[in-house]
Amino acid sequence: MKQIIAVHDLSGFGKCSLGVVMPTLAAMGVRACALPTAYLSAHTAFPPCEHAVFLDLTAQMEATLAHWDELHARFDGFYSGFLGAPEQMELLERCLSARRKDGFLAMVDPVMGDGGKPYRTYTPQLCDKMAELSTYADVITPNLTEAAILLGEDYDPAPNRKKAADWLHRLSLEGRRSVILTGLSLTSGTLGAGCFDRTTGAVDFAQAPLAHGVFSGTGDLFASVAFGKLLAGEALPAATQAAVSFVSLAANATLDRGGDPVEGADFEPLLHLLAPHQV
């Protein structure tokens, strides 16, 4: 069973971050060792509340990594999502530098914003630090907003294939890393992603039926499925298609059952589909 470091926040209510990453990877035969960046009583898509809890865990992150070193823990990969401070990103850069070896796979989801705007906590300094951390990754999974931030471009909610391919090439840092660009809608009624594979230099696109609604945590679900497939040795285009298809299936099934998109997609009943040799 492969073992990876999973860096993300933990939300007590709402399906996102580590609450999505760990069960999804477990279903795919991957043990995700949690390195939480923060604890939230509920994810931030819910309205603000005076009793909302946010606990910064930067100090605990460093201590945890030191403890894992004392235990001689060995990891096959690294996945990071939401990060809340420059110190966290600097710590993870050191973590990746120390653990890189043949067969080690590092994925960075550069969580910085959505809908054309950075998240309110993401200052220009924090965005610059995320871009720096992303240079340590073998594969990154930005959405269209995050891609625009990384490239210093204006946000485009609906780039065509030519523009998406250009962004993918540029995000690859001249082919040094693979890229999956999420949130692409290339035909009416579909949504998906495009990918650049650093091993082949090829660009591919994947689309699936669109679920109407803004679902929380689907980026985390997408990245988890894609990462699990890559760890299993699948090629980037196949991993991208599997992630697109699973997220679409989970989101549409949630709507069919009358679920609330703000709470997240009801992916749990479908996890058996991700077991090895199923998808």
Side-chain angles (χ1 to χ4, degrees), residues 194-230:
C195 64
F196 170 87
D197 190 339
R198 70 176 182 180
T199 61
T200 64
V203 168
D204 290 275
F205 295 96
Q207 298 281 279
L210 171 68
H212 294 283
V214 180
F215 285 81
S216 300
T218 49
D220 304 325
L221 184 59
F222 180 98
S224 300
V225 174
F227 192 44
K229 291 294 182 181
L230 292 173

Side-chain angles (χ1 to χ4, degrees), residues 182-203:
T182 65
L184 287 176
S185 179
L186 299 177
T187 58
S188 177
T190 66
L191 188 66
C195 64
F196 170 87
D197 190 339
R198 70 176 182 180
T199 61
T200 64
V203 168

Side-chain angles (χ1 to χ4, degrees), residues 105-119:
L105 182 67
M107 173 184 279
V108 172
D109 184 1
V111 179
M112 294 183 285
D114 205 357
K117 297 180 180 179
Y119 296 129

Side-chain angles (χ1 to χ4, degrees), residues 62-119:
E62 187 162 13
T64 297
L65 288 172
H67 188 195
W68 289 352
D69 286 340
E70 291 174 358
L71 297 175
H72 305 292
R74 294 291 178 265
F75 299 98
D76 302 292
F78 169 98
Y79 161 70
S80 68
F82 176 79
L83 303 171
E87 294 79 10
Q88 293 182 353
M89 299 175 192
E90 292 165 2
L91 173 64
L92 295 178
E93 288 175 19
R94 298 195 297 272
C95 169
L96 285 174
S97 296
R99 287 171 171 78
R100 299 309 295 268
K101 63 181 187 298
D102 290 343
F104 186 92
L105 182 67
M107 173 184 279
V108 172
D109 184 1
V111 179
M112 294 183 285
D114 205 357
K117 297 180 180 179
Y119 296 129

